[in-house]
Amino acid sequence: MEEIRLNFNKLVYARYVERCPKAEPFFDPEEETTPAKKRVQKTLEEVLSLEQKIVNMATLSDPERFSEIPYSMEDASNANECPRNAVSGAKRKHGAFDVDEDADSEVLWRTNFEKFRFCLKKKFCADRKKPKLKVGTRPIWESFFEANLTDKDTDSVTSSINGILERLGQKEGGASMTLDQITGVLEDLDCSTSADDPEAFTFDLRKMVEECRNEEIESLVKKKYGQEAFTIFRLLVTQGCPVETDQIIDTTILDKQIVHSTLYKLWKDDYIDTEKIDSAPGTGYAQFFVWRAKNTFREQFIDNLYHAALNLRQMVNFIAELLLEGSKDETKLRNRKNILILALTRHDDSLMLFHDFCK
């Protein structure tokens, strides 16, 4: 039992496990409502406010959420035989069980999904950038994530320079790196220092997740429409504002005819939007067009992912039925099934990137 308690407390200390909120929080709505208000029909906002108050009453503070199971220095059987009044009447020794008024109530535990989501987000961002790193910078990047100080802010990673040096010294070739080399690499990797703690570096996870989302969409545009469309679409997404046709031609250095045809394809499939604007007098043009990436292009991309995942799942189920019927081309069908399952897994990763990481 002590070994189980020890291992369980390690999970609690690491915040992978937490105590559940109060099952029956005490809240008296009559105290919050006057007799005059009772006669008035409650609005939706008042109902939501009441629900929020109940949730707040049930929510535990961080010390309560991650309160470990107390240790017993004595044998469990001896502790159970000891009368409760004897324990409460005497001064408790260090390490003895803490007995309170709620000792008879069962403590419920649950997985802390916020912690797991944060760890997955860190792992995703660390792995996503590794292929793009220069030679010798990968150990610094890994050490930065391993030395994370706190996980209260799930949108950023903050690591002290001492923690980075400690973990870097455990990696091959890390001990020979100078402090100037390490700080230079961290700055190149968009890790910034704060005025509150100049000895710590912070990396914005949300910013990188947004970049990865745009890369996913841009890769689909590239596969579907080609390199020219990829270049134009990335320009519009990066600008974040209407861009004139001539400016697109000058910036991308593409042929005018190719730009016009590509813009038309993207506009027809609702990836971009266009607007006709009257030019100022004396410019030589009566009207010109501006283009912008639509606000709904991300929702459209997710919708395409869902449709593709559904089609892949139906194809996998169809092949599974053929295998159960004993088809002659069993080896060929199994290979095709494995390829489809890999593609389905890739779609799951993309959907996770667009949903779970945004919380």
Side-chain angles (χ1 to χ4, degrees):
M1 289 299 296
E2 285 298 324
E3 184 178 357
I4 294 175
R5 186 180 291 107
L6 175 65
N7 292 325
F8 189 85
N9 282 344
K10 288 180 180 178
L11 295 175
V12 177
Y13 178 76
R15 301 201 169 193
Y16 288 114
V17 176
E18 64 176 345
R19 293 178 184 249
C20 293
K22 300 174 185 177
E24 298 180 359
F26 176 76
F27 178 74
D28 188 3
E30 299 297 331
E31 296 179 358
E32 303 289 333
T33 309
T34 61
K37 290 183 179 180
K38 292 180 184 179
R39 293 190 294 267
V40 180
Q41 186 178 3
K42 292 184 177 180
T43 63
L44 178 61
E45 289 77 11
E46 290 174 337
V47 174
L48 293 176
S49 177
L50 176 61
E51 293 176 353
Q52 187 59 47
K53 290 178 182 178
I54 296 175
V55 171
N56 293 338
M57 292 293 296
T59 303
L60 302 176
S61 63
D62 278 1
E64 292 174 324
R65 287 173 61 194
F66 305 106
S67 177
E68 301 176 354
I69 300 177
Y71 290 94
S72 173
M73 303 301 293
E74 302 175 353
D75 185 73
S77 60
N78 295 335
N80 293 333
E81 293 172 0
C82 180
R84 179 178 296 184
N85 55 4
V87 176
S88 60
K91 185 176 180 180
R92 301 180 187 185
K93 299 180 180 179
H94 177 71
F97 279 114
D98 238 356
V99 182
D100 53 20
E101 296 177 356
D102 299 329
D104 295 332
S105 63
E106 183 180 3
V107 177
L108 299 179
W109 302 84
R110 67 180 183 182
T111 303
N112 182 13
F113 286 101
E114 292 180 359
K115 172 71 175 182
F116 279 101
R117 187 181 295 114
F118 177 64
C119 291
L120 284 173
K121 191 187 296 185
K122 284 201 306 179
K123 185 178 185 302
F124 171 83
C125 291
D127 294 343
R128 186 82 175 214
K129 208 163 188 174
K130 279 183 181 179
K132 304 176 183 178
L133 297 179
K134 298 179 181 178
V135 178
T137 60
R138 186 173 297 183
I140 299 176
W141 182 244
E142 294 175 348
S143 300
F144 168 75
F145 278 91
E146 293 171 2
N148 180 47
L149 293 174
T150 178
D151 53 9
K152 289 184 178 180
D153 179 14
T154 58
D155 290 331
S156 63
V157 175
T158 302
S159 301
S160 66
I161 189 64
N162 291 332
I164 298 173
L165 290 172
E166 180 182 351
R167 284 158 181 78
L168 189 59
Q170 301 171 2
K171 300 182 182 296
E172 184 178 357
S176 60
M177 295 183 181
T178 63
L179 182 61
D180 292 337
Q181 286 179 321
I182 298 171
T183 54
V185 169
L186 291 174
E187 291 173 357
D188 290 340
L189 294 173
D190 297 329
C191 299
S192 59
T193 57
S194 61
D196 299 334
D197 188 2
E199 297 296 324
F201 286 84
T202 301
F203 180 77
D204 191 348
L205 294 176
R206 180 172 289 275
K207 180 180 178 181
M208 183 170 183
V209 170
E210 285 295 320
E211 293 176 358
C212 293
R213 288 171 176 172
N214 290 337
E215 289 176 0
E216 288 284 322
I217 300 173
E218 291 165 2
S219 65
L220 177 66
V221 172
K222 184 176 181 179
K223 292 177 183 177
K224 190 173 182 180
Y225 303 101
Q227 179 65 39
E228 293 82 5
F230 166 77
T231 304
I232 295 173
F233 186 75
R234 166 167 282 190
L235 172 64
L236 296 177
V237 172
T238 305
Q239 292 291 331
C241 62
V243 183
E244 190 182 350
T245 308
D246 289 343
Q247 184 181 350
I248 296 175
I249 296 173
D250 295 338
T251 305
T252 58
I253 321 178
L254 294 173
D255 183 74
K256 184 177 181 180
Q257 193 65 30
I258 294 177
V259 170
H260 280 281
S261 61
T262 304
L263 288 171
Y264 176 75
K265 291 178 183 177
L266 294 174
W267 170 78
K268 186 179 179 181
D269 289 348
D270 289 332
Y271 281 97
I272 62 176
D273 201 0
T274 185
E275 183 181 358
K276 185 186 295 185
I277 297 178
D278 295 330
S279 60
T283 58
Y285 295 96
Q287 292 176 331
F288 63 93
F289 288 89
V290 293
W291 308 83
R292 66 167 66 87
K294 294 191 71 171
N295 296 330
T296 58
F297 72 85
R298 181 170 293 177
E299 287 78 6
Q300 182 184 354
F301 175 78
I302 297 174
D303 188 58
N304 291 334
L305 282 179
Y306 278 127
H307 280 88
L310 177 61
N311 293 335
L312 287 171
R313 173 53 63 187
Q314 290 176 345
M315 294 173 66
V316 169
N317 294 339
F318 176 72
I319 293 177
E321 292 177 0
L322 293 179
L323 290 173
L324 289 175
E325 294 173 359
S327 176
K328 296 180 180 179
D329 301 329
E330 182 176 348
T331 303
K332 186 177 181 180
L333 288 174
R334 288 188 183 278
N335 293 335
R336 184 177 299 177
K337 180 182 176 182
N338 292 334
I339 294 174
L340 293 174
I341 290 175
L342 288 175
L344 189 60
T345 304
R346 179 69 179 87
H347 277 74
D348 290 341
D349 292 340
S350 297
L351 287 171
M352 180 183 69
L353 172 63
F354 280 88
H355 285 279
D356 290 351
F357 281 174
C358 65
K359 296 180 181 178

